[in-house]
Amino acid sequence: MHAPKPLTATRVAATCAALDSASWPAGAIVLRTAPDEAIVLVPTKDIEPGLIADPHAIVEIESSLCGIWLDADDAHDLLERECDWETPSARPAFAQGAVAGLPVKLWFEHDRVLFVVSAVFANDFMERCR
Amino acid sequence: MSKESVLAHLWQQQGDPTRGGSVCAAGDCQSCLATIDGIAYTRMCRTPWRDGMHVEPHPHGDQLPALESRGNRAATIARTMHCDVVVIGQGSAGLAAAAEARALGRDVVTLDTGDGQDAIGIYPGPLVVARTDAGMWHLYPRIEIVVATGAAEIQPVVPGNDLRGLVTARAAESLSAAGIDLGRIVAVGTPPREVACTVAVGALVRFEASATDASRVGAVIARDDRGVEQRHVCDTVSLGLGLAPRDALLRMARGTNVHGVGDVLRAPDLPPCPTAGIVCACLGVTVDDLRSVHARGFHELELVKRATLAGTGPCQGAACVPHVRAFLAAQGAALQPPFTARPLTRQITLGEVAAGAHHVATPRTALDAEHRALGAQMERLGGWWRPWHYGDVDAEYHAVRTAVSLCDVSTLGKMQVSGPGAVALLEHLYPVPIVSLKPGRSRYVLLLDERGYVIDDGMVCRDGETRFTLTFTSGGSTFAELWIRDWAESLNADVRIMNQTTSLGAINVTGPRATKLLALAGVTTPPAFLHHDTLDVAGICCRVFRLSFTGEVSYELHHAAADSVVLWRRLMELGRDLGIRPHGLEALMKLRLEKGHVIVGQDTDFDSTPRRLNHEWAVRLEKPAFVGRHAVIRTNAIPLDRQLCGFEMDGIAPAEGATIWHRDAFAGYITSATWSPTMRRSVMLGWLHLSNGELPTIITIDGRPARRVATPFYDPEGARARA
Amino acid sequence: MNEFVERLVDLRWPSAVKPAYDVVIIGGGGHGISTAYYLATRHGITNVAVLEKSYIGSGNSGRNTTIIRANYGIPEAVRFYQRSVDLYESLEAETGRDVMHHTKGLLWIAHSEAGVRQERARAEVNTAFGARTEYVSPRQIQEICPQLDMTGQGQWPIYGASYHPAGASARHDRVVWAYAEGAMRLGVDIHQHTSVTGLQKSGDRIVGVETTAGPISAGIVLSAVGGHVTAIAAMAGVRLPIRTHQLQAFVTNRYAHTFAPIVASSGLGVYASQTAKGEMLIGAEIDRAPAYAYDAGHQFIRSCAFRSIALLPFLRDLKLLRQWTGVCDMSTDYSPVMGFTGAPGFLVTTGWGTWGFKAIPVGGEQMAALIATGRTPELIAPFSLDRFANDRTMADRGSAGTH
Ligand SMILES: Cc1cc2nc3c(=O)[nH]c(=O)nc-3n(C[C@H](O)[C@H](O)[C@H](O)COP(=O)(O)OP(=O)(O)OC[C@H]3O[C@@H](n4cnc5c(N)ncnc54)[C@H](O)[C@@H]3O)c2cc1C
């Protein structure tokens, strides 16, 4: 496996309602990691003030995530070996949990899957998924 | 078997390869165990033959296989599969169950030992774990598990049952079908199908050795209908003595959606009460042994098992349990249920069971490669890989005390809390006033649990009216997030929480020349002590916190983790003429100890109250409510028993953990100790017991005189940090 | 002849439950039975019943990894367990029974500077309180246990260890039986398949028990139950700071006896020894976060096998025989709770968590002394229940949560 590459991302903590109704930049991949948190794969400057209807929202640059796209077959093989839990069948879909014993976020598209891992584990991830 | 087994192959080539005892050829008994290609306790009957295989049948008796694993072996692969139904066993009942489930449109996975797939256990999940020729399978059925493992044949327990040439009826069938010549066969009980044999009518009495080979059977004695013993000369005895269900998987799966089909559901046949012979061939337990322990008060099946160890060998009681039950029933007790079923139902190696497992990963900061390039010895500490030193602890120490130094503190827990409920939440969580903290200011805080024990410490930094940054210890940040989210939830606090521990890098710039270095990095008005600000430092946007752990002027620079390397390199470059060098944790431990700073986890214990830590100044009981307040008030009313104190003595530092003595009485122990290059003596923190209500001053540590002294040891007024 | 068949112990069961005893002990595990034994042998108190809901030793006393050691982290614990180590060493001579006691030596391995610090501290406090433990270098470690991978498969290098020569093991069931036989020979009644379902009160005082075999009056009731102790104590109106966690272990098949010591690693969270039978017996630290226990059975064995191979590579090709689980009563400070409860007539010995097998002799000896004299012996005074109310907890972080 190639080394996962740093992702450009923005992390938003806000009320659930504000995240539900946010109008994210067109085409942005939005990883809804928790009811009150989303990671949006766009530069932070693209998240304009008003976009999230929560005056107390925390919007921060998230520069510590790495990602790698695998085509659907490779992703399936990897997950069969390294993931104990059942991944969603809908597309697109987001899921997160342990993969290769590391905290990983997964974004499933029709023919490919994005594996997102914190840079603090990027080396381990690469070594374990070789 | 779809392929020829090792048992059949060797039998064909060189005659019966087993070392005695009745052979089932179905994976239930222990008679065909061998060391195959270096792996002991492998059943010849379940292993497909490959040319070049090395097979060493197990010796009988006390000789045990070597405790070793030779050479390298490719790691076993593990696969996880999710399906609707798992069917274990592909005999007629299992095949039908699988077909039925498929007809309902279900996604079915089948396992059959004939295809090299052995289910080894059913676990909560539900999870079926199987060893297959293609590696380990972890199967998660959504709907149900069908166990169709059939029944095992009952083994004979009579004198001579350890001879060679004894086979079960089904083994006689399968071995004959494989073209093996078993010689003259005499069948006892149900005869084998489609195998030429003589039938010995009546009950089995004993086996007799052959005149020419004392290890082999030569005749079988059966008592006929009239009660007369008849001797039947033979080369092989086929034994059709009844069936016992192979229901261990079914029994261990209690509570999951599992059901059995076919023979696995049948009631076990109860053999006659054994009177002589080996009952448990795995451990060599005889009927006499059963009698002997029974006569001495061991009556339960479990106690008999434990007193003889019958049933604790490789066949896990499959062969002996029917006989032990029959024996106990004959002593007048009610028939007892078999042993509790537990994994593993088929034995696999540790290497196989470990397939796909990983160590708990230790995270690395963004500066990890930087530290290594600088020659750092990296250590696991507080749950992270951290630089322990860069080769010269003294020089690192002096860089901090006399010049300027960098330390990677990215591992600190870092969290933002924002919202109308933030002040109230933090007031509840921390034992000091939060509302009075002005934006731009920071405060040291303890985190207490409901029992009033210190569970972590850190800083609260106010960023705005409703917005805060919190820091925690490196080891404590995961717990702290759970703690704070739990409380936010319980109090229904209107807050947003973001844990930025791994998202942000943090570099501590410390030393008398730290302010100078920041100036070179473009910071003209650095924050004052316990203030913070967002500033551009050497081209990187940083939140700069002015605090101090080392005792010198310090600026903690929090920044986007991706910028860590650039920031670190620029600072190292800018500081060259200032005598900069980074310091690792070993130097940091010295520096902070000179300042008397406590490390939660090292200097504290499970039950460290603020009073015990001599940190009552960090708790404001006049605050009406905060977590731990009641407990602190309650325990403060109880006489103090021990306190964390500072000590000093001449000479080298004692071991951390060294005991403290006061006039021949144990008085506590040291939690941190170091030789202080600045003070020219050893300085320590440790737990000291009160004696007659007072903390002793003159004590003995390591057999040497020592003094309790006030902390900080170094720069007690704190002038240097504020400079 | 099979050397593992118990050939000496003779258990003479009582015929019927008497209506009254001086002392009723609930729970026929090691602690309940050894208390009865010491009451009878040391204090001549024999009008004693032990009530066991299943067979004796059916609880944790018959399913532990049998490690005996005194290398604890606080003085009170070191002294207490050292007394048990000594009692174990003389148990065979005292009872005339073979409990398969073997002194093996215990290595507690450090894989980091922080680990070294902890093992050095262990050696310091042990030595000061009469338990022999020394810090040893990698070279000494290799001499004691040549099978260790000193690099931890390149990931868990061994920096050093504490070595406790008195580390031992004994066959768990045989310990229970030796005490049971000795107690019954002197007239103690051990009733198997007799469950306690309630407590009899007279005012505040506990004066007897309700059982599946009828009511029994008692001068003193001692709860030595495992797993359900909070329920029994609640009947006496006593709240115990006990939580119940699962602890698991596994054994391999039998192999030639070539692994001499007991080896433990905090970094990897595993410990291993070879039984008298020849099995490798492997255990782990307790799961501290109950929420993590999802699929514990398989996750445990998979991960524990993996970690133990990193320490002892020879385990790789060994065949795993059986895994099992026990439920451990853990006190909030990871030390036992013994003695008076505040409810007159009702005593407890509990909180034995993951470490109570080694304490069976000393626990029984001291509880018997307490019952016989009505006073708490000095050795167990630190472990009384009122320590929680009095802010005198016995936190032992160095050895908590494992064998
Ligand atoms: C996997 C594992 C490994 C371990 N390894 C070690 C080790 O290496 N070293 C060590 O020192 N310790 C170890 N331990 C801990 C040790 O096993 C226990 O602490 C010890 O056995 C406790 O003994 P006990 O007599 O208090 O409890 P138990 O042996 O559990 O006995 C309690 C008895 O009470 C009975 N009972 C319960 N309720 C009732 C009732 N209402 N009426 C009547 N009877 C009742 C139960 O049936 C049971 O027999 C381990 C534990 C486990 C689970």
Side-chain angles (χ1 to χ4, degrees), chain B residues 529-714:
Chain B
F529 190 59
L530 292 183
H531 285 64
H532 57 92
D533 204 352
T534 301
L535 298 166
D536 181 299
V537 182
I540 304 295
C541 176
C542 294
R543 303 210 37 223
V544 182
F545 298 84
R546 172 98 187 260
L547 12 113
S548 181
F549 194 50
T550 61
E552 306 299 335
V553 173
S554 304
Y555 301 94
E556 214 168 271
L557 313 180
H558 293 200
H559 52 273
D563 294 333
S564 280
V565 171
V566 172
L567 180 61
W568 176 274
R569 288 188 183 164
R570 285 185 187 159
L571 291 171
M572 288 292 285
E573 180 60 35
L574 291 168
R576 206 160 13 156
D577 294 338
L578 301 176
I580 197 168
R581 83 169 41 234
H583 66 280
L585 272 287
E586 196 177 350
L588 183 60
M589 289 297 129
K590 258 183 197 303
L591 294 157
R592 69 88 199 182
L593 185 50
E594 288 181 337
K595 285 298 294 175
H597 289 308
V598 166
I599 294 192
V600 174
Q602 171 160 337
D603 299 305
T604 65
D605 228 321
F606 288 158
D607 57 0
S608 297
T609 57
R611 183 173 57 148
R612 284 204 176 108
L613 290 182
N614 201 5
H615 269 51
E616 281 178 288
W617 54 269
V619 177
R620 293 291 165 76
L621 292 173
E622 64 273 18
K623 253 183 77 167
F626 57 85
V627 177
R629 180 170 179 272
H630 291 295
V632 169
I633 290 171
R634 191 181 70 77
T635 55
N636 277 357
I638 296 170
L640 183 66
D641 58 341
R642 64 185 197 276
Q643 196 163 43
L644 192 72
C645 297
F647 308 99
E648 57 178 33
M649 68 186 204
D650 298 330
I652 57 160
E656 292 175 337
T659 49
I660 304 173
W661 298 80
H662 174 54
R663 300 201 191 108
D664 297 335
F666 172 73
Y669 63 96
I670 295 298
T671 57
S672 295
T674 194
W675 166 255
S676 163
T678 306
M679 325 289 295
R680 311 297 306 161
R681 55 184 175 264
S682 289
V683 296
M684 295 154 277
L685 285 176
W687 288 106
L688 186 61
H689 290 246
L690 279 79
S691 157
N692 299 322
E694 296 202 357
L695 289 167
T697 307
I698 304 297
I699 48 178
T700 306
I701 301 171
D702 220 13
R704 292 181 280 155
R707 281 173 312 283
R708 176 173 63 83
V709 294
T711 57
F713 305 97
Y714 173 79

Side-chain angles (χ1 to χ4, degrees), chain C residues 26-31 51-53 58-61 63-67 194-196 224-226 232 247-249 271 324 326 328 352-358 403:
Chain C
I26 316 172
H31 281 274
L51 309 177
E52 167 52 49
K53 73 170 173 190
S58 57
N60 282 345
S61 294
R63 62 181 77 207
N64 62 78
T65 52
T66 74
I67 290 170
T194 307
S195 252
V196 169
V225 308
I232 298 268
L247 185 69
Q248 312 192 49
Y271 60 96
W324 67 92
C328 297
W352 289 114
T354 62
W355 53 77
F357 172 73
K358 70 181 65 62
H403 61 288

Side-chain angles (χ1 to χ4, degrees), chain C residues 247-272:
Chain C
L247 185 69
Q248 312 192 49
F250 67 86
V251 285
T252 68
N253 274 338
R254 303 170 62 199
Y255 295 86
H257 290 91
T258 47
F259 188 75
I262 301 162
V263 169
S265 155
S266 304
L268 285 160
V270 292
Y271 60 96

Side-chain angles (χ1 to χ4, degrees), chain B residues 179-194:
Chain B
I180 291 160
D181 178 7
L182 296 173
R184 267 174 306 170
I185 305 176
V186 171
V188 179
T190 311
R193 284 164 304 177
E194 293 172 31

